[in-house]
Amino acid sequence: MPVLWQQLYASRAEGMRASDIREILKVTAQPEVISLAGGLPAPELFPIDEYRRAFEWVLEADGASALQYGPSEGYRPLREFLAQRLSGFGMRCTADDVLITNGSQQALDLMGKLFLDPGDQIVVERPTYLGALQAFNQYQPRYAVVGMDDDGMCVDDLEHTLTREDRIKFIYAIPTFQNPTGRSMSLQRRRRLVELASKYGVPIVEDDPYGELRYEGEHLPTLKALDTTGCVIYLGTFSKILAPGLRLGWIVAAPEALEAFLHGKQPTDLHTGMAQQMATYEVCKNGFVDGQVERIKAFYKERRDVMLRALEEHFPSDAHFTRPAGGLFVWAELPRTVDTRALLIDAVRDKVAFVPGQGFHPDNTGTNTMRLNFSNVPPDQLREGVRRLGHAIQRRLDTASESRVGI
Ligand SMILES: Cc1ncc(COP(=O)(O)O)c(C=O)c1O
């Protein structure tokens, strides 16, 4: 008798569908498609030579430790390095407050695993990171959605949500150069958010993969730096400042919560790979990462500027798009008549791809929105990609207005 797979899956597996992004990335793997879809860093910037030397050194100096099982908390010198660096950004912590994870994606999964029973609620920004929704969905939560404007999450609406809604387990926020919008939360709202979380005893998960990639303007303190009561769980990653293939991230949290994360991580993977932790420590220990961040910023700033100029030139005048001061993404809102999922089919025919915005909305709104990535595409292709997209949008708008007047 054949195995009837569908009948065997646990009910939580229903929440585990392939993301829009993964499906799109399959199409855009064709070399002639200009992909503004992924969130990939520019591979030109990967510190390949530094890692070649570091891996060689690690294997030579202490190959046995690099290839042996290691501590679940992570490689101590790397945790010490991170604690020192984060303290420099105003997030006072010691190595004991840092847990190394397999990218921050693992931390998001651990949040669900540790905090969510089916039907529990998470406060999220609308829109929010699709990969977080995917991680949380496995645990069958409900979402209490809070809107955003150019100053980030509308924190004034949050208090209402916190008092009205039941079973809220945590607030998930990406306050700096958010994925997908590129927006940042104002300082005033950051303070208010932390204040509200403390007042109501609800933890905040601050997901911060892009915070260091600022191309202009003043540095803003993280929520963690403003946290005096220990209510912020801070998630960081090397993915956007060194390389995502390392799968190295970290959690900084109050000791009690960190211990729970440790117990959640152990049954999943025992620990994060020692070889890449040790090599990363070698790469980082003499200040390399600060110079690397500066190189990345100069490189991406140029690409962001090219994309914004091309959007001004080629997108319809009634389209709105963000002008992010950092990060990897621009978010566009098109006239209501344009369904961006349908638009994507036209766009891929024209050999350009983007991510339709609906998947970033837990309430399935945002049908006329899209996320555009500028970090992974060279400037001439960025211009051409946005030009093709602008034409595809115009064709949709023309068709919509023709059908309105009955042509
Ligand atoms: C907001 C956000 N959180 C988490 C992640 C996952 O990052 P990592 O590679 O560290 O798992 C991403 C990746 O793009 C992201 O944009």
Side-chain angles (χ1 to χ4, degrees), residues 2 24 59 65 87 128 170 191 229 255 266 277 291 331 339 390 399 406:
I24 292 162
L59 289 172
S65 299
S87 297
T128 190
F170 58 89
R191 288 195 205 286
T229 63
Q266 271 169 349
Q277 290 190 73
W331 180 250
D339 178 332
T399 315

Side-chain angles (χ1 to χ4, degrees), residues 90-165:
M91 295 175 264
R92 274 190 298 155
C93 58
T94 69
D96 290 333
D97 304 315
V98 180
L99 171 69
I100 303 289
T101 57
N102 271 295
S104 36
Q105 193 65 31
Q106 179 176 46
L108 295 172
D109 179 54
L110 289 174
M111 280 307 302
K113 189 173 177 180
L114 290 172
F115 286 85
L116 298 175
D117 285 318
D120 283 346
Q121 294 215 68
I122 312 168
V123 176
V124 294
E125 297 159 328
R126 179 182 55 211
T128 190
Y129 170 50
L130 193 136
L133 294 176
Q134 264 195 303
F136 302 150
N137 282 346
Q138 304 172 87
Y139 303 96
Q140 302 162 295
R142 290 174 295 146
Y143 293 101
V145 174
V146 179
M148 295 180 86
D149 60 22
D150 283 341
D151 282 338
M153 184 197 285
C154 297
V155 175
D156 281 344
D157 299 340
L158 177 65
E159 184 154 26
H160 188 54
T161 304
L162 292 176
T163 50
R164 192 191 48 198
E165 297 291 337

Side-chain angles (χ1 to χ4, degrees), residues 112-369:
K113 189 173 177 180
L114 290 172
F115 286 85
L116 298 175
D117 285 318
D120 283 346
Q121 294 215 68
I122 312 168
V123 176
V124 294
E125 297 159 328
R126 179 182 55 211
T128 190
Y129 170 50
L130 193 136
L133 294 176
Q134 264 195 303
F136 302 150
N137 282 346
Q138 304 172 87
Y139 303 96
Q140 302 162 295
R142 290 174 295 146
Y143 293 101
V145 174
V146 179
M148 295 180 86
D149 60 22
D150 283 341
D151 282 338
M153 184 197 285
C154 297
V155 175
D156 281 344
D157 299 340
L158 177 65
E159 184 154 26
H160 188 54
T161 304
L162 292 176
T163 50
R164 192 191 48 198
E165 297 291 337
D166 64 338
R167 296 175 61 182
I168 290 183
K169 288 300 187 70
F170 58 89
I171 300 163
Y172 173 67
I174 313 160
T176 313
F177 314 133
Q178 195 226 25
N179 181 0
T181 63
R183 289 174 181 138
S184 289
M185 193 182 289
S186 67
L187 179 56
Q188 198 190 9
R189 286 194 187 174
R190 285 171 195 245
R191 288 195 205 286
R192 181 88 181 115
L193 175 55
V194 173
E195 205 179 278
L196 285 174
S198 292
K199 178 172 168 188
Y200 290 96
V202 179
I204 302 170
V205 180
E206 176 177 28
D207 192 2
D208 190 29
Y210 307 105
E212 290 200 49
L213 304 183
R214 175 176 283 283
Y215 314 134
E216 64 200 25
E218 289 279 299
H219 168 77
L220 288 166
T222 60
L223 302 175
K224 188 72 190 158
L226 299 171
D227 174 24
T228 53
T229 63
C231 67
V232 177
I233 296 166
Y234 179 84
L235 312 185
T237 176
F238 282 117
S239 287
K240 303 301 182 328
I241 56 173
L242 288 177
L246 298 163
R247 310 308 303 130
L248 279 181
W250 56 90
I251 303 175
V252 181
E256 209 183 315
L258 207 67
E259 201 179 321
F261 281 116
L262 186 68
H263 296 153
K265 179 177 164 69
Q266 271 169 349
T268 304
D269 62 2
L270 302 179
H271 65 84
T272 297
M274 284 299 284
Q276 76 262 35
Q277 290 190 73
M278 291 171 74
T280 297
Y281 173 67
E282 285 308 313
V283 167
C284 289
K285 71 178 184 194
N286 293 325
F288 171 80
V289 80
D290 294 330
Q292 176 69 359
V293 166
E294 290 309 311
R295 277 188 288 281
I296 294 173
K297 285 183 348 189
F299 198 84
Y300 290 172
K301 179 182 186 304
E302 185 200 353
R303 293 185 172 190
R304 179 207 59 172
D305 292 344
V306 167
M307 175 170 268
L308 290 180
R309 274 199 300 274
L311 286 168
E312 264 153 30
E313 191 177 339
H314 298 294
F315 266 36
S317 55
D318 48 356
H320 299 283
F321 50 89
T322 54
R323 289 177 169 74
L328 309 189
F329 305 108
V330 171
W331 180 250
E333 211 175 302
L334 302 180
R336 281 189 191 288
T337 51
V338 183
D339 178 332
T340 48
R341 282 182 190 242
L343 175 70
L344 180 62
I345 297 167
D346 299 353
V348 169
R349 222 174 277 137
D350 293 347
K351 306 272 182 251
V352 59
F354 62 89
V355 185
Q358 199 178 346
F360 298 93
H361 294 71
D363 54 3
N364 272 325
T365 54
T367 53
N368 59 329
T369 58

